[in-house]
Amino acid sequence: MRRAVKVEIYSDIACPWCYVGKTRFERALAAFPKGSSVEVVYRPFQLDPSAPYEARPHREVLAAKYGPQAAAMDQRITALGAEEGIDFDFDTVLENNSLLAHRLLRFTLDEYGPAAQTRLKGRLMTAHFGEGMDIGDHEHLTDAAVTVGLDRDAVAAFLSSDELHDEVLDEIDEARQLGITAVPTFVFEGQWAVQGGQETSTFLRVLEQVAKDTAAAADSADAEAGACADGVCEVPATDGGAAGS
């Protein structure tokens, strides 16, 4: 089956709107007739690359950053998440630098493929926002990876190394060079970008339109390729006989 659409999703594990966007997008994907042929890849992005490598209570971090309005911000996203079936429990959320988790997601993509990466992304978000998971803790990350089918020893060895550290930082830098300054950002076929946790209906319309445009472009390319095969280009003959010299 021809791949219908490739979607690259730039997001941060520590971003509640990225969790909402993922949930809505996956609901749209389930409703999309060609959903099984859509390739989804998660790309790294850090809202706070300077965050310390230590677990800190979310409430304290947000209050220090936004002051009195922090509580209202949490209440808003909690209510919105409940409408989407997401259980945000900000009393248990621990903030930490997300780079290690992004490295694990890239490792999963390289070694296990996009589907496994998507499963792990979902598991990390569920555990981070609802179960008090520390996304900077090796043991917690290993347990999450094993839950979605990764090999425990391979994951533990990877997390104990510096593998993919520079590559992930380069990806984050490339995202900013592409003009991505906020997440989630959904890039369809490397051409069309949709920013934010849009409604499910919006994602579905985008999938339908991009799939239509992609199929039309592929059909056009196939028609052009069909005129030339095995080193010979066919030229329509005229009544005068064969073309050529």
Side-chain angles (χ1 to χ4, degrees), residues 225 227-234:
C228 297
D230 298 326
V232 177
C233 291
E234 298 179 358

Side-chain angles (χ1 to χ4, degrees), residues 10-198:
Y10 293 80
S11 70
D12 195 357
I13 300 97
C15 164
W17 274 104
C18 293
Y19 194 4
V20 171
K22 179 179 185 296
T23 301
R24 289 174 170 175
F25 176 76
E26 289 180 348
R27 190 172 294 127
L29 202 58
F32 182 51
K34 297 181 180 179
S36 61
S37 61
V38 175
E39 180 181 332
V40 178
V41 173
Y42 282 90
R43 301 299 186 192
F45 192 95
Q46 287 190 284
L47 290 173
D48 185 8
S50 64
Y53 289 87
E54 61 177 329
R56 298 156 296 143
H58 165 82
R59 297 289 196 191
E60 294 179 11
V61 173
L62 203 68
K65 188 172 184 179
Y66 294 106
Q69 63 179 327
M73 294 169 64
D74 279 347
Q75 289 172 2
R76 179 189 175 206
I77 195 69
T78 297
L80 189 148
E83 295 176 0
E84 301 294 337
I86 298 172
D87 181 19
F88 285 110
D89 185 1
F90 288 109
D91 287 331
T92 67
V93 171
L94 297 173
E95 301 292 350
N96 204 331
N97 193 295
S98 60
L99 182 60
L100 185 61
H102 282 300
R103 287 177 52 216
L104 179 59
L105 285 166
R106 170 62 187 274
F107 168 81
T108 304
L109 175 65
D110 291 350
E111 299 297 325
Y112 294 85
Q117 188 200 41
T118 295
R119 293 195 302 273
L120 179 59
K121 183 78 169 187
R123 179 59 196 147
L124 292 179
M125 286 183 155
T126 297
H128 172 63
F129 285 111
E131 302 171 10
M133 173 190 175
D134 178 1
I135 60 173
D137 183 88
H138 286 211
E139 184 176 349
H140 288 185
L141 289 173
T142 300
D143 288 344
V146 171
T147 298
V148 300
L150 276 64
D151 179 76
R152 179 176 292 276
D153 291 341
V155 171
F158 169 77
L159 291 175
S160 297
S161 74
D162 292 327
E163 188 179 347
L164 297 178
H165 178 273
D166 292 344
E167 289 84 346
V168 170
L169 288 179
D170 287 344
E171 275 196 278
I172 293 172
D173 185 56
E174 288 170 6
R176 295 188 183 277
Q177 291 180 26
L178 289 172
I180 295 173
T181 58
V183 288
T185 295
F186 300 75
V187 180
F188 296 78
E189 288 294 302
Q191 302 178 60
W192 300 279
V194 174
Q195 191 175 87
Q198 301 292 332

